[in-house]
Amino acid sequence: MSSVFSKIIAGELPARFVYKDDTVVAFLSIEPVAYGHTLVVPVEEVDRWTDLSPETWAHVAKVSQKVGHAIVEAFGCSRAGSLIAGFEVPHTHVHVFPAEDMSGFDLSAAIPAGETDPVRMEEAAAKLRAALGTAELGSTETA
């Protein structure tokens, strides 16, 4: 069965993409710990990051770092946080988000899906696309 991320990658579900290539995509989390919280996801549907091929993992890490640099640039935060949790969706993904302190690493404190401000989400996506040079991607989010 396809994961929700595979459906997003296939265009069956909406998302605010900020990066895409043949191996990895990155899009905003619908439950962000901060506006700009991005998920970096391999196109290949693999549950645990430790089961990815070394080449795919290296590319996921490279794109995660690139997104992290863009987050610091776009949001003026002290750091970009990064987490691998993966319990909520059985498809490898790296959380990359603006962080000022360790409280940003608490995924249980995320804004619940449906309670984010759509305008702020789109502004965050646009800032990241500008920093990444991927403005042509746009969003497939409807709200």
Side-chain angles (χ1 to χ4, degrees):
M1 177 167 172
S2 280
S3 77
V4 66
F5 293 159
S6 292
K7 291 177 181 180
I8 289 169
I9 293 164
E12 297 169 19
L13 293 173
R16 289 181 172 90
F17 287 92
V18 298
Y19 180 90
K20 278 187 184 181
D21 67 30
D22 292 338
T23 306
V24 174
V25 300
F27 49 87
L28 294 190
S29 172
I30 62 168
E31 293 187 332
V33 294
Y35 288 96
H37 180 165
T38 302
L39 303 177
V40 180
V41 183
V43 172
E44 179 184 13
E45 190 173 312
V46 174
D47 183 8
R48 298 181 303 210
W49 70 274
T50 53
D51 292 336
L52 289 172
S53 71
E55 297 78 20
T56 299
W57 171 244
H59 193 61
V60 169
K62 179 180 177 181
V63 172
S64 296
Q65 187 176 44
K66 183 175 183 170
V67 169
H69 285 294
I71 283 173
V72 170
E73 177 184 329
F75 299 100
C77 51
S78 300
R79 299 185 187 273
S82 177
L83 283 172
I84 303 169
F87 291 103
E88 64 281 5
V89 178
H91 190 143
T92 298
H93 56 287
V94 177
H95 297 260
V96 186
F97 48 90
E100 292 300 332
D101 55 44
M102 290 303 294
S103 67
F105 287 77
D106 183 2
L107 296 179
S108 69
I111 302 167
E115 293 185 22
T116 56
D117 178 341
V119 172
R120 288 186 69 190
M121 291 290 283
E122 195 53 45
E123 288 171 351
K127 283 181 179 181
L128 284 172
R129 288 186 207 111
L132 289 163
T134 58
E136 75 284 356
L137 289 177
S139 292
T140 61
E141 251 333 295
T142 56

